Amino acid sequence: MANTQRTARYRELAAALRADVLSGVYGEGGRLPSEEALAASHSVSRGTVRQALALLRAEGVVTSRRGTRRVVLEQPRVQSFAELSSFTRWARSLGEDPGGSVLDLRWREADPVEADRLRLPAGARVLWVLRLRTLGGEPVMVERTVYPEPVGTLVEAMPSDAVSVTELLEAAGVVLADADHTVDLTLADPDDARLLGCAPEAPLLRERRRTSDPTGVPVEWSEDRYRAGTVAFTVHNSLAATALARTRSEP
């Protein structure tokens, strides 16, 4: 429990500093306060401050040179882990109105790919969930997510119209710490076409994502299919960091 609390605290501090940076508190190229000052102002240890700053540096929000304080980088806004891993938080960060509804939910045996991604034995019991996600009431994404049994039990008990599964999992004590994202193109199957209002075999943007807890144990394996023209993914690449961002496509 103590390790989980420490993990959450440095992420909370990183989120607070990130918000200050992105709102222009320090200005482009400005310097952050010293580690000692940040520790005092946020009532945390210097170790927690260093972890938070390391996370921001990895995201490309700040940079530093030996003997100097962290400097805010002049760059487009990067998205936090929480925003990129959660459709709801990402949508809200852009001022969009997210929605979601569960269309199908069932327990079944994991197929070979799911078992591999979730690091489960062959034939393990998993919860499979089909959800339709909307922005401003417009269907934009079909989400197919598989959960290992302990997490699936929590998801099964959630309201079918819950807007954010991620927030409810966090409230239940499930900490999401890492995610692997693979983005490519796929063709709409009959269910996709019916739910998204597109033609069968129309091109869809596909994001496959495995999310893990702080100990590296997989929490979910998801395949999200976005209707063409609704979102885009942008990679910011530099010597300081490489960051992935999901954006709303222009009509």
Side-chain angles (χ1 to χ4, degrees):
M1 177 65 72
N3 286 339
T4 299
Q5 290 175 339
R6 282 198 295 272
T7 299
R9 191 67 188 96
Y10 90 80
R11 289 191 179 278
E12 288 173 1
L13 176 58
L17 293 175
R18 187 186 301 108
D20 286 344
V21 167
L22 298 177
S23 64
V25 170
Y26 304 107
E28 293 177 348
R31 298 183 186 279
L32 296 184
S34 66
E35 290 180 0
E36 183 178 6
L38 288 172
S41 62
H42 292 274
S43 301
V44 297
S45 69
R46 291 187 67 173
T48 298
V49 172
R50 291 191 188 102
Q51 285 182 292
L53 293 175
L55 180 58
L56 295 180
R57 188 172 187 274
E59 292 178 352
V61 178
V62 300
T63 189
S64 64
R65 294 188 299 273
R66 186 180 299 276
T68 65
R69 296 205 305 271
R70 274 70 177 180
V71 177
V72 176
L73 289 175
E74 181 177 357
Q75 62 169 42
R77 181 186 185 279
V78 297
Q79 291 174 354
S80 68
F81 170 82
E83 289 172 357
L84 197 55
S85 297
S86 168
F87 177 89
T88 297
R89 286 173 174 162
W90 163 73
R92 288 172 178 164
S93 75
L94 299 182
E96 296 276 358
D97 179 23
S101 58
V102 174
L103 306 178
D104 196 0
L105 178 151
R106 68 184 76 165
W107 289 97
R108 59 169 172 76
E109 290 186 356
D111 66 28
V113 172
E114 295 163 352
D116 176 68
R117 298 299 186 270
L118 293 174
R119 299 178 190 165
L120 297 173
R125 188 170 181 252
V126 295
L127 182 70
W128 177 83
V129 181
L130 174 68
R131 301 182 80 211
L132 179 64
R133 306 309 306 262
T134 62
L135 291 176
E138 174 191 9
V140 297
M141 188 257 280
V142 175
E143 180 181 275
R144 296 171 173 88
T145 309
V146 180
Y147 301 94
E149 189 164 4
V151 181
T153 301
L154 297 173
V155 173
E156 184 182 30
M158 294 177 184
S160 62
D161 59 350
V163 176
S164 176
V165 171
T166 300
E167 291 177 350
L168 293 177
L169 284 177
E170 290 175 348
V174 178
V175 178
L176 309 182
D178 295 282
D180 298 311
H181 303 261
T182 300
V183 180
D184 62 5
L185 199 66
T186 191
L187 300 179
D189 65 21
D191 286 338
D192 296 328
R194 174 175 54 84
L195 296 172
L196 294 175
C198 62
E201 300 193 0
L204 302 177
L205 186 67
R206 177 172 65 176
E207 178 199 6
R208 287 171 288 178
R209 181 184 65 258
R210 178 176 65 185
T211 310
S212 304
D213 70 13
T215 66
V217 175
V219 172
E220 66 175 8
W221 166 248
S222 187
E223 179 176 312
D224 304 340
R225 298 185 175 194
Y226 292 88
R227 198 179 79 235
T230 57
V231 303
F233 286 83
T234 301
V235 176
H236 171 75
N237 192 32
S238 73
L239 291 175
T242 296
L244 177 69
R246 174 175 44 194
T247 59
R248 187 79 157 98
S249 290
E250 296 295 331

